[in-house]
Amino acid sequence: VALPSPRDAVLDALASRRPVLRKIAWALPDALQPKEGKTVWVQAYDTGGTLVHDLQTTHERFYMATGVRERDGVVWIGSLTAPSVARIDLAR
């Protein structure tokens, strides 16, 4: 599972508030909008839904993971913002 960004406490607080407050927040200029966390975050679950791997790190040029695939001991991660894919060798 690819997780593009950690949760944002301000956005979580707004989720339970009146809809008009969320509309006001969405209307704010881009400079005032919450920014995504610059993290690389992927998780793996077994067939019963139990979390078995949780990898979270940072990289200055790669973040906002939106796709992940493991094949032959290599984890490939796609990003919404990076012009490349990340590779993690599990055998290391």
Side-chain angles (χ1 to χ4, degrees), residues 42-64:
V42 295
Q43 296 179 335
Y45 294 84
D46 65 17
T47 57
T50 301
L51 178 66
V52 294
H53 297 287
D54 187 3
L55 171 65
Q56 186 173 1
T57 189
T58 59
H59 190 280
E60 65 183 51
R61 295 184 318 250
F62 190 93
Y63 54 93
M64 191 66 92

Side-chain angles (χ1 to χ4, degrees), residues 12-70:
D12 285 346
L14 281 176
S16 63
R17 304 284 188 233
R18 300 178 68 180
V20 69
L21 294 176
R22 291 192 306 268
K23 288 180 183 180
I24 291 169
W26 292 330
L28 291 172
D30 285 343
L32 298 177
Q33 292 286 339
K35 302 298 181 240
E36 71 278 353
K38 294 194 175 181
T39 186
V40 181
W41 192 4
V42 295
Q43 296 179 335
Y45 294 84
D46 65 17
T47 57
T50 301
L51 178 66
V52 294
H53 297 287
D54 187 3
L55 171 65
Q56 186 173 1
T57 189
T58 59
H59 190 280
E60 65 183 51
R61 295 184 318 250
F62 190 93
Y63 54 93
M64 191 66 92
T66 55
V68 62
R69 172 82 164 117
E70 184 274 333

